Amino acid sequence: MSGHIRWLIVTIVVAVVSIWMVLPDNPGIHLDLNNDGKAEIARTIAIRPGLDLQGGLRVLLAADLPADQITAGDMETARRIVENRVNALGVVEPVIQLQEGANRIVVELPGISDPETAIATIRETGLLEFVDFSGLGDVSHLYGARILTTAQLEQQAARQQAQATTAPGEQQPTATPATPQPENTETTDANAPIVNPRTGQPFVTVMTGAGLQSAIAQVDRLGTEWVVNFTLNERGAEIFGDFTARHIGQPLAIVLDGVVISAPVIRDALTDGGTISGAFTQEEAQQLAVQLRYGALPVPLRVESVESVGPTLGRVSINRSIQAGVLGVITVLAFMLLYYRVPGITADVALLLFGIMNIALFKFIPVTLTLPAITGFLISVGTAVDGNILIFERIKEELRKGRKLNIAVEAGFDRAWTSIRDSNLSTIIICVILYLFGSTFGAGSVRGFAITLALGLVLNLFTAVIVTRTLLILVMQVAGDKLEHRMWWMGI
């Protein structure tokens, strides 16, 4: 089998898969691997419109401390923690950015369907606790479980007191999930938090995250496993040193927002810090270190305003934009067909496949389609057309020199390849910089533009160089003799 036939088969397979993904009623991927009636692999394949196309929720968070007690570093750390919490909601391409000149954070959530949960999650101050698990023996079954602790009850009591003293007209705009009371722990609700089975009471919190100074994931001294090393501040050392000295050999749970994330056994008195081990993978250790460092917001935040945001682009504008895009594509296809004739036909097929592959990837990854993201895609369409024109002009130059058709085609692709490669790579580098900029400073729109443009450039290398080349050479093999004597069909 020749190389061109193999590439033709690859192209057909890619086209079939892409068309299946683009179908408007695509069911997605749902695989039940162990026949238990539940899909272990579930992936929805659908377009996700951004805030400007479908609207959503905009929340303004403000630091609940005097300005002279807050640093720029505190607010940046708070922004990153809020971003991590929003990402946990499954919101794709949210916008979380600091408001310049004020201690405020703007959160925009496209297409959010449960505003109350979203507000509670992004506002909730993470409660990191070190909880006494003494006397419980093997506690591995509690990993990932939600438990009830004394610190949670104290936090809930403080909230209730604050709400009771809230002046009329100062209604809190958020709904924080309530922590169950101890008397409810005998409920048959399987989702109820677990209490200490030895006492029937909430677990005792030894120390909260306020006693932690730093945490970092490292390989242990033997170089065999990943561990998390942490240090304590003065208050934490005082509490931890006394407790750990009296409970050597007993488990101590690390709990974040009521969920047990680790339960190492105390090996020694910890007066200034310690090491958490637990057969972690590198990713697990780094995740735990991040949770320890950023479990709690450095400054308390209050919800200053919440508003539902409608799409900035009306339905009429969207429909007309789609019509304009379709008309533009048809015009380009017609131009390639009329100006380059037979090569233009192959370019049109490649361009159609290029568009289908892009949309399929947008649905599969998924990519949130905002106006900047769509702009990035349209620019990539332009580069795809440019690539084909560059190739065909090189072919025409070779034909005008009197080269035979098959030699001119090969030479045209070879001469154009370096130009296409270098121009696309240089633009992809710019896309990487834009993406990193958007990720660092919370500029989600810039990030969406970079993603769609970079995807288009990568796919362009496949469609312009592989697909067009394969189709054109196959056409040469079928009708090369006739085209050799009718250069008009080659656009000359």
Side-chain angles (χ1 to χ4, degrees), residues 28 38 62 113 158 180 233 289 295-296 326 363 404 468:
K38 298 180 180 178
S113 58
N233 57 29
V326 171
K363 296 178 70 174
K404 294 184 69 65
T468 304

Side-chain angles (χ1 to χ4, degrees), residues 249-408:
Q250 296 295 324
L252 179 72
I254 300 173
V255 180
L256 181 63
D257 289 342
V259 177
V260 179
I261 59 176
S262 181
V265 175
I266 301 172
R267 302 296 183 191
D268 202 354
L270 306 176
T271 56
D272 56 357
T275 300
I276 302 173
S277 60
F280 300 126
T281 64
Q282 178 180 355
E283 182 178 348
E284 291 171 341
Q286 291 173 339
Q287 182 181 9
L288 177 57
V290 170
Q291 287 174 317
L292 293 176
R293 286 199 303 266
Y294 299 122
L297 292 168
V299 293
L301 299 174
R302 70 174 185 277
V303 178
E304 196 160 270
S305 66
V306 181
E307 58 179 331
S308 296
V309 181
T312 55
L313 296 178
R315 175 55 57 186
V316 174
S317 297
I318 294 174
N319 291 337
R320 289 180 178 174
S321 299
I322 294 174
Q323 292 172 0
V326 171
L327 181 62
V329 171
I330 292 175
T331 303
V332 170
L333 295 178
F335 168 77
M336 296 298 290
L337 176 63
L338 296 175
Y339 192 76
Y340 291 104
R341 287 110 194 197
V342 171
I345 295 174
T346 61
D348 286 351
V349 175
L351 285 173
L352 290 174
L353 180 58
F354 172 82
I356 293 172
M357 290 171 62
N358 269 280
I359 297 173
L361 280 180
F362 294 164
K363 296 178 70 174
F364 183 75
I365 291 177
V367 175
T368 301
L369 287 184
T370 61
L371 189 60
I374 294 175
T375 303
F377 167 64
L378 294 177
I379 293 176
S380 70
V381 173
T383 62
V385 177
D386 288 344
N388 283 290
I389 291 176
L390 192 61
I391 293 169
F392 297 156
E393 289 299 326
R394 295 290 181 271
I395 293 176
K396 290 167 70 174
E397 289 176 3
E398 296 297 324
L399 290 173
R400 291 191 181 102
K401 291 178 183 177
R403 301 284 176 82
K404 294 184 69 65
L405 183 56
N406 58 340
I407 296 176

Side-chain angles (χ1 to χ4, degrees), residues 158-178:
R159 285 176 182 151
Q160 291 174 341
Q161 182 178 6
Q163 291 173 357
T165 57
T166 299
E170 294 181 359
Q171 183 179 0
Q172 297 291 328
T174 183
T176 303

Side-chain angles (χ1 to χ4, degrees), residues 214-284:
S214 66
I216 185 172
Q218 294 177 323
V219 180
D220 66 357
R221 294 179 180 178
L222 301 177
T224 56
E225 66 175 4
W226 281 87
V227 297
V228 177
N229 292 321
F230 64 92
T231 59
L232 303 167
N233 57 29
E234 185 176 352
R235 177 59 178 159
E238 182 181 341
I239 298 173
F240 229 50
D242 179 62
F243 178 84
T244 54
R246 292 185 288 106
H247 294 82
I248 293 176
Q250 296 295 324
L252 179 72
I254 300 173
V255 180
L256 181 63
D257 289 342
V259 177
V260 179
I261 59 176
S262 181
V265 175
I266 301 172
R267 302 296 183 191
D268 202 354
L270 306 176
T271 56
D272 56 357
T275 300
I276 302 173
S277 60
F280 300 126
T281 64
Q282 178 180 355
E283 182 178 348
E284 291 171 341

Side-chain angles (χ1 to χ4, degrees), residues 39-265:
E40 281 71 29
I41 299 177
R43 170 64 70 89
T44 300
I45 301 176
I47 290 288
R48 298 199 180 194
L51 191 71
D52 51 356
L53 297 184
Q54 67 169 338
L57 195 71
R58 177 180 289 127
V59 182
L60 180 61
L61 302 171
D64 203 11
L65 285 177
D68 57 355
Q69 297 182 22
I70 304 170
T71 66
D74 290 338
M75 292 304 297
E76 175 58 25
T77 302
R79 186 197 67 78
R80 293 185 179 180
I81 295 173
V82 169
E83 186 173 32
N84 290 335
R85 290 175 176 273
V86 170
N87 289 333
L89 294 172
V91 179
V92 179
E93 204 171 298
V95 176
I96 299 103
Q97 55 190 357
L98 292 173
Q99 196 173 62
E100 189 174 358
N103 296 324
R104 294 184 175 88
I105 299 174
V106 179
V107 182
E108 294 181 345
L109 309 172
I112 196 72
S113 58
D114 188 355
E116 292 295 324
T117 301
I119 295 171
T121 302
I122 61 180
R123 180 180 180 272
E124 178 82 2
T125 299
L127 179 60
L128 177 66
E129 306 169 79
F130 293 84
V131 177
D132 185 7
F133 267 20
S134 299
L136 296 182
D138 182 10
V139 294
S140 58
H141 64 286
L142 291 175
Y143 286 9
R146 181 171 293 278
I147 65 172
L148 187 64
T149 67
T150 54
Q152 293 172 30
L153 294 176
E154 292 172 1
Q155 189 181 65
Q156 184 193 23
R159 285 176 182 151
Q160 291 174 341
Q161 182 178 6
Q163 291 173 357
T165 57
T166 299
E170 294 181 359
Q171 183 179 0
Q172 297 291 328
T174 183
T176 303
T179 303
Q181 295 291 339
E183 54 267 28
N184 293 335
T185 54
E186 293 182 2
T187 178
T188 56
D189 185 357
N191 296 322
I194 301 171
V195 297
N196 192 329
R198 294 180 64 239
T199 63
Q201 296 296 315
F203 290 94
V204 176
T205 302
V206 178
M207 185 183 73
T208 67
L212 208 61
Q213 182 168 315
S214 66
I216 185 172
Q218 294 177 323
V219 180
D220 66 357
R221 294 179 180 178
L222 301 177
T224 56
E225 66 175 4
W226 281 87
V227 297
V228 177
N229 292 321
F230 64 92
T231 59
L232 303 167
N233 57 29
E234 185 176 352
R235 177 59 178 159
E238 182 181 341
I239 298 173
F240 229 50
D242 179 62
F243 178 84
T244 54
R246 292 185 288 106
H247 294 82
I248 293 176
Q250 296 295 324
L252 179 72
I254 300 173
V255 180
L256 181 63
D257 289 342
V259 177
V260 179
I261 59 176
S262 181
V265 175

